[in-house]
Amino acid sequence: AQSVTQPDIHITVSEGASLELRCNYSYGATPYLFWYVQSPGQGLQLLLKYFSGDTLVQGIKGFEAEFKRSQSSFNLRKPSVHWSDAAEYFCAVENSGYALNFGKGTSLLVTP
Amino acid sequence: NAGVTQTPKFQVLKTGQSMTLQCAQDMNHEYMSWYRQDPGMGLRLIHYSVGAGITDQGEVPNGYNVSRSTTEDFPLRLLSAAPSQTSVYFCASSYVSGDTEAFFGQGTRLTVV
């Protein structure tokens, strides 16, 4: 069955440090891949997406992600984290029928 | 451009009551869907629609009904609310094509007591 795994439930990083959030998927073909961010009490905002082509994709707020077919991964990265990046991050895979299959999320805490 | 609008933002229901969560989009998207978000569970698909008059079940459809009479609106009905339906509900919409993205509403926080 198709699934999306975010291995880290919580991550804590210091402000200014680099960040990598992991996402692995299980799917037969190359799926469409997304990263969303959710601030407390808010809806979901799209950070970036991968459909095809260049496997390193740039998103908003200085985020990037790299699609690695051999590892079935789509990890999210940021070189220098800001306090405002504290939020919950969701990796998602587009299912057949256009529905999104979400991971369970990673909660990011940024310390001074 | 309002995007995806959900109403109400907050709701408290008693067990057994019914209600309708409203979702409207003004982007002429064919595809609309409802998710529920529970702590540690991510977002799970309840129902979806690929166009007016067409709906289908997602991962967790029990206890919920939907209809799609217009392109713009996709209401979610709770027929007899249960405490297990306490959750945050999100509506999303997108074009029905391969390389598109979903737009989400701000969510409805529902508590069933």
Side-chain angles (χ1 to χ4, degrees), chain B residues 24-76:
Chain B
Q25 53 91 9
D26 61 359
M27 297 171 281
N28 203 31
H29 286 163
E30 305 97 334
Y31 181 78
M32 296 186 74
S33 54
W34 277 101
Y35 294 85
R36 61 177 288 172
Q37 183 180 24
D38 302 291
M41 300 294 291
L43 281 81
R44 293 179 292 170
L45 182 66
I46 304 171
H47 285 284
Y48 65 94
S49 168
V50 297
I54 305 169
T55 64
D56 208 344
Q57 296 180 351
E59 179 185 357
V60 288
N62 292 341
Y64 307 96
N65 276 358
V66 292
S67 60
R68 184 94 179 270
S69 57
T70 67
T71 300
E72 295 78 18
D73 300 298
F74 191 45
L76 179 72

Side-chain angles (χ1 to χ4, degrees), chain A residues 21-86:
Chain A
L21 302 182
R22 296 182 291 165
C23 174
N24 293 95
Y25 64 90
S26 170
Y27 190 54
T30 299
Y32 299 135
L33 298 157
F34 305 82
W35 274 100
Y36 283 86
V37 61
Q38 184 182 33
S39 297
Q42 300 298 312
L44 279 79
Q45 181 182 24
L46 181 69
L47 285 176
L48 46 78
K49 58 191 176 187
Y50 173 77
F51 294 141
S52 65
D54 192 346
T55 56
L56 183 64
V57 294
Q58 302 297 321
I60 63 171
K61 304 184 180 186
F63 285 92
E64 66 177 27
E66 185 171 12
F67 169 60
K68 293 186 176 180
R69 185 192 308 273
S70 62
Q71 299 177 17
S72 296
S73 69
F74 188 57
N75 294 348
L76 182 71
R77 301 193 294 248
K78 187 169 184 178
S80 176
V81 170
H82 188 262
W83 64 266
S84 60
D85 293 323

